[in-house]
Amino acid sequence: MTTITNKSENPTAHLSPEDVEALGAELDAIRQEVLDARGEQDAAYIRKVVDVQRKLELGSRAVLLVSAFPPAWLLGTAGLAVAKILENMEIGHNVMHGQWDWMRDPKIHSTTWEWDNASTAEGWKHSHNEIHHTYTNIVGKDNDLGYGIMRVDEEQRWYPMYLAQPLWNFINACFFEYGIAAYDLELGRNLRTPKEKRSAEFKRNLSNTLKKIRKQATKDYVVNPVLAAPTGSFLPALAANFTANVIRNLWSHSVIMCGHFPEGVETFELKSIPEKETRGEWYLRQMLGSANISGSKLMHIMTGNLSHQIEHHLFPDLPSSRYAEVAPKVRAVFDKYGLNYHSAPLPQQVGSAWHRVVRLSFPNGWLATTNAKNLPTQLKLLYALATADRRTRRVIQLRLEREARKLESRKLAQAA
């Protein structure tokens, strides 16, 4: 993927400034229509989801008290995993976006909700609501693009360490809640700062995050297992909580990857973003920088309705249960202005996102010029790239990119 301004064909080139603002006005009207219609039915929905989630978690933890019995372990683990997913995705994420603040319910409010996750609500709201949603898919500004540990665009310089990014992306997926906590803290940048120069704000946030992690670990890995000990279920309950957390992490990582990582989702250069970005320009960036997951109503709920990632990025403060309703109207705006509405089933989007992670772990042009016949030669070339000095590596990379462009030109000529 190349940033949109450096593509040979810009998908927004046909839009005039007037078109962009007209598009924004139409989307504003869709948003306002939902704001005016919010009411008791919406409130009943979120209260029901919260009630179901809490009963499911309590019931699952009760079953785990006898988890030495294998069927109980399976049932309790599955129930706890689903409860954690519901809490993080459909409840926690959306409540902390302020989607339900209009209810004036202090128990379901962005200022009071603390979720079942290693990251603190305060830290997550800053990194996600304020940074990610403002600077969506701007390379070097939106840390949700690769979480600061991956190469996510061809224009980012390749280094040998990126060969391992599929591995560390998988490890990050398994322990995603801790990765998000580190990301919220900007841990890498702050740890590189001399200890005496670290800000008081970072020290405070780090202390709060460690307290939160300790609280979560105590609940999952001490209290529940200890209560299960009289039935000989201490270790099974411990393993069940760990497994449920890993399942939740893998699921949430997959859903979030599908929102911005699949092939065909656009990225942007910071210098291409106007200093005073208009409402229409911001909308346009959200439209092109997000992707949806098609599927059933249950699947939408389990993703926290982030399966409607496009609608969520356009209207992050609307109730998540309304995204399915506005999706056809949003898609009509895409069609009217000749834009690509990126939507596909979950397996396809996950596969596409992982394909991008793997593809960009290699130097530009390496995969495109590699086939079964020349694989041994290409592997030697890759080794040379990984061990060469910076100047030699750059020379080899430029040659690879030229060969890839020639190959692409021949394919296009043959197709014509």
Side-chain angles (χ1 to χ4, degrees):
M1 184 170 294
T2 303
T3 52
I4 192 170
T5 47
N6 291 323
K7 286 193 166 184
S8 56
E9 294 183 10
N10 187 323
T12 65
H14 62 288
L15 297 176
S16 67
E18 292 74 22
D19 289 332
V20 173
E21 296 315 306
L23 171 154
E26 292 187 42
L27 291 171
D28 273 339
I30 293 171
R31 175 177 177 271
Q32 191 60 49
E33 185 179 349
V34 176
L35 291 176
D36 293 341
R38 290 179 309 191
E40 187 53 42
Q41 187 175 352
D42 299 286
Y45 169 80
I46 190 59
R47 289 191 174 111
K48 180 179 180 180
V49 174
V50 170
D51 182 59
V52 167
Q53 186 278 329
R54 288 177 176 169
K55 288 176 179 175
L56 179 59
E57 180 175 1
L58 184 62
S60 298
R61 291 191 182 280
V63 171
L64 290 177
L65 298 180
V66 291
S67 54
F69 183 50
W73 189 92
L74 289 171
L75 182 63
T77 302
L80 185 58
V82 171
K84 284 176 173 286
I85 289 169
L86 278 175
E87 197 286 329
N88 278 190
M89 306 299 283
E90 180 65 339
I91 304 172
H93 171 274
N94 296 328
V95 169
M96 290 191 294
H97 257 298
Q99 293 181 6
W100 307 99
D101 287 2
W102 57 274
M103 292 165 52
R104 301 289 191 271
D105 184 339
K107 295 180 180 178
I108 308 177
H109 199 278
S110 63
T111 59
T112 59
W113 193 272
E114 188 59 74
W115 62 344
D116 180 7
N117 202 285
S119 59
T120 65
E122 179 186 11
W124 183 86
K125 284 187 286 187
H126 170 71
S127 64
H128 185 81
N129 295 359
E130 296 175 25
I131 304 298
H132 168 59
H133 274 267
T134 301
Y135 302 107
T136 305
N137 280 31
I138 299 176
V139 177
K141 193 72 174 177
D142 178 10
N143 279 338
D144 269 35
L145 272 180
Y147 309 108
I149 62 173
M150 291 193 297
R151 182 175 182 247
V152 295
D153 194 277
E154 285 94 338
E155 293 168 23
Q156 288 178 270
R157 182 170 292 181
W158 181 85
Y159 295 101
M161 68 174 184
Y162 288 125
L163 289 170
Q165 79 175 22
L167 174 61
W168 68 58
N169 188 48
F170 176 70
I171 294 171
N172 183 44
C174 292
F175 302 98
F176 193 47
E177 61 176 316
Y178 300 105
I180 291 298
Y183 159 68
D184 291 345
L185 289 167
E186 296 185 88
L187 196 60
R189 179 180 65 82
N190 279 293
L191 290 182
R192 288 192 298 271
T193 303
K195 194 171 183 179
E196 64 277 6
K197 294 183 179 180
R198 293 172 192 166
S199 69
E201 181 184 14
F202 168 70
K203 293 175 182 177
R204 177 178 63 83
N205 291 340
L206 178 61
S207 175
N208 290 340
T209 299
L210 291 174
K211 288 177 184 176
K212 179 72 185 297
I213 290 173
R214 185 164 58 248
K215 180 180 178 182
Q216 292 296 113
T218 300
K219 177 182 69 174
D220 287 344
Y221 303 128
V222 178
V223 175
N224 200 193
V226 166
L227 290 175
T231 65
S233 299
F234 179 89
L235 288 179
L238 184 69
N241 276 270
F242 177 78
T243 303
N245 281 323
V246 170
I247 292 171
R248 180 270 314 276
N249 290 337
L250 288 170
W251 176 259
S252 56
H253 179 271
S254 296
V255 170
I256 291 166
M257 284 252 302
C258 290
H260 301 290
F261 270 67
E263 303 282 11
V265 175
E266 303 295 349
T267 54
F268 307 85
E269 286 185 300
L270 180 58
K271 65 182 181 181
S272 72
I273 307 301
E275 187 176 341
K276 294 184 178 180
E277 191 176 34
T278 67
R279 183 72 168 167
E281 289 167 338
W282 181 85
Y283 271 138
L284 184 61
R285 182 159 51 80
Q286 307 305 317
M287 294 165 79
L288 299 178
S290 305
N292 282 6
I293 305 168
S294 57
S296 66
K297 184 177 181 179
L298 176 61
M299 194 276 296
H300 292 314
I301 292 173
M302 291 300 290
T303 66
N305 278 289
L306 292 181
S307 47
H308 298 291
Q309 187 73 242
I310 294 169
E311 287 72 25
H312 172 62
H313 262 264
L314 293 172
F315 315 122
D317 59 345
L318 292 188
S320 57
S321 54
R322 293 283 192 145
Y323 289 150
E325 173 189 328
V326 303
K329 300 175 184 178
V330 169
R331 189 162 196 160
V333 174
F334 273 78
D335 293 341
K336 178 178 178 179
Y337 291 92
L339 300 170
N340 178 43
Y341 187 87
H342 197 311
S343 182
L346 181 65
Q348 184 176 328
Q349 295 290 50
V350 170
S352 178
W354 271 98
H355 177 269
R356 183 178 173 190
V357 169
V358 172
R359 179 173 64 82
L360 291 173
S361 70
F362 294 106
N364 293 346
W366 188 86
L367 271 181
T369 57
T370 300
N371 54 53
K373 290 182 179 180
N374 70 2
L375 181 58
T377 303
Q378 289 290 90
L379 288 174
K380 290 179 183 178
L381 180 63
L382 186 61
Y383 178 77
L385 274 164
T387 56
D389 60 73
R390 183 176 296 184
R391 182 177 179 278
T392 304
R393 188 162 62 234
R394 185 60 185 149
V395 170
I396 298 173
Q397 285 181 285
L398 288 171
R399 192 183 74 199
L400 265 176
E401 290 173 19
R402 282 197 300 269
E403 291 176 4
R405 285 195 295 268
K406 288 178 182 177
L407 186 62
E408 182 64 23
S409 297
R410 284 199 295 269
K411 287 181 179 177
L412 289 173
Q414 288 171 359

